[in-house]
Short mmCIF file of all heavy atoms in Angstrom, two decimals:
data_model
loop_
_atom_site.label_atom_id
_atom_site.label_comp_id
_atom_site.label_asym_id
_atom_site.label_seq_id
_atom_site.Cartn_x
_atom_site.Cartn_y
_atom_site.Cartn_z
N VAL J 150 78.97 74.85 87.56
CA VAL J 150 79.78 76.05 87.35
C VAL J 150 80.07 76.23 85.85
O VAL J 150 80.39 75.28 85.14
CB VAL J 150 81.10 75.95 88.14
CG1 VAL J 150 82.00 77.14 87.84
CG2 VAL J 150 80.80 75.87 89.64
N GLY J 151 79.95 77.47 85.41
CA GLY J 151 80.21 77.77 84.01
C GLY J 151 80.31 79.26 83.76
O GLY J 151 80.33 80.06 84.70
N THR J 152 80.37 79.65 82.50
CA THR J 152 80.40 81.05 82.09
C THR J 152 79.04 81.42 81.50
O THR J 152 78.52 80.70 80.64
CB THR J 152 81.50 81.32 81.06
OG1 THR J 152 82.77 81.10 81.66
CG2 THR J 152 81.43 82.74 80.54
N ASP J 153 78.45 82.51 81.98
CA ASP J 153 77.17 82.99 81.49
C ASP J 153 77.30 84.43 81.01
O ASP J 153 77.84 85.27 81.73
CB ASP J 153 76.10 82.92 82.58
CG ASP J 153 75.79 81.49 83.00
OD1 ASP J 153 75.39 80.71 82.12
OD2 ASP J 153 75.96 81.16 84.19
N VAL J 154 76.83 84.69 79.81
CA VAL J 154 76.79 86.05 79.28
C VAL J 154 75.33 86.49 79.20
O VAL J 154 74.53 85.87 78.48
CB VAL J 154 77.45 86.13 77.89
CG1 VAL J 154 77.37 87.55 77.35
CG2 VAL J 154 78.89 85.65 77.95
N VAL J 155 75.00 87.52 79.96
CA VAL J 155 73.64 88.03 80.00
C VAL J 155 73.50 89.14 78.95
O VAL J 155 74.32 90.06 78.90
CB VAL J 155 73.29 88.58 81.39
CG1 VAL J 155 71.82 89.03 81.45
CG2 VAL J 155 73.56 87.52 82.47
N LEU J 156 72.46 89.03 78.11
CA LEU J 156 72.26 89.99 77.02
C LEU J 156 70.83 90.51 77.04
O LEU J 156 69.90 89.81 77.45
CB LEU J 156 72.54 89.33 75.66
CG LEU J 156 73.87 88.59 75.52
CD1 LEU J 156 73.63 87.09 75.57
CD2 LEU J 156 74.57 88.96 74.22
N SER J 157 70.67 91.74 76.56
CA SER J 157 69.34 92.33 76.46
C SER J 157 68.93 92.43 74.99
O SER J 157 69.77 92.59 74.10
CB SER J 157 69.31 93.71 77.11
OG SER J 157 70.24 94.58 76.49
N TYR J 158 67.63 92.34 74.76
CA TYR J 158 67.09 92.39 73.40
C TYR J 158 67.20 93.79 72.81
O TYR J 158 66.92 94.79 73.49
CB TYR J 158 65.63 91.95 73.43
CG TYR J 158 64.91 92.09 72.11
CD1 TYR J 158 65.04 91.14 71.12
CD2 TYR J 158 64.10 93.21 71.86
CE1 TYR J 158 64.39 91.27 69.90
CE2 TYR J 158 63.45 93.35 70.65
CZ TYR J 158 63.59 92.37 69.67
OH TYR J 158 62.94 92.52 68.47
N VAL J 159 67.61 93.88 71.55
CA VAL J 159 67.66 95.15 70.84
C VAL J 159 66.65 95.15 69.69
O VAL J 159 65.75 96.00 69.63
CB VAL J 159 69.08 95.44 70.29
CG1 VAL J 159 69.10 96.74 69.49
CG2 VAL J 159 70.08 95.51 71.45
N GLU J 160 66.76 94.19 68.78
CA GLU J 160 65.82 94.10 67.67
C GLU J 160 65.94 92.74 66.99
O GLU J 160 66.90 92.00 67.21
CB GLU J 160 66.07 95.20 66.64
CG GLU J 160 67.44 95.13 65.97
CD GLU J 160 67.67 96.24 64.97
OE1 GLU J 160 66.77 97.09 64.80
OE2 GLU J 160 68.75 96.26 64.34
N GLY J 161 64.95 92.45 66.14
CA GLY J 161 65.00 91.22 65.36
C GLY J 161 64.17 90.12 65.98
O GLY J 161 63.40 90.33 66.94
N SER J 162 64.32 88.91 65.44
CA SER J 162 63.53 87.77 65.89
C SER J 162 64.37 86.50 65.87
O SER J 162 65.13 86.27 64.93
CB SER J 162 62.31 87.58 64.98
OG SER J 162 61.59 86.41 65.31
N LEU J 163 64.23 85.70 66.90
CA LEU J 163 64.93 84.41 66.97
C LEU J 163 64.09 83.39 66.19
O LEU J 163 63.37 82.58 66.76
CB LEU J 163 65.11 83.98 68.43
CG LEU J 163 65.99 82.74 68.66
CD1 LEU J 163 67.42 83.00 68.21
CD2 LEU J 163 65.95 82.33 70.12
N SER J 164 64.20 83.48 64.89
CA SER J 164 63.40 82.63 64.00
C SER J 164 64.32 81.93 63.01
O SER J 164 65.46 82.33 62.81
CB SER J 164 62.37 83.48 63.25
OG SER J 164 63.01 84.52 62.52
N VAL J 165 63.80 80.87 62.40
CA VAL J 165 64.57 80.17 61.38
C VAL J 165 64.72 81.09 60.17
O VAL J 165 63.73 81.59 59.64
CB VAL J 165 63.90 78.86 60.96
CG1 VAL J 165 64.77 78.12 59.93
CG2 VAL J 165 63.65 77.96 62.17
N GLY J 166 65.95 81.35 59.77
CA GLY J 166 66.21 82.27 58.68
C GLY J 166 66.30 83.71 59.11
O GLY J 166 66.50 84.61 58.28
#
Side-chain angles (χ1 to χ4, degrees):
V150 175
T152 294
D153 295 302
V154 179
V155 184
L156 309 105
S157 59
Y158 174 81
V159 177
E160 62 181 1
S162 174
L163 188 64
S164 56
V165 182

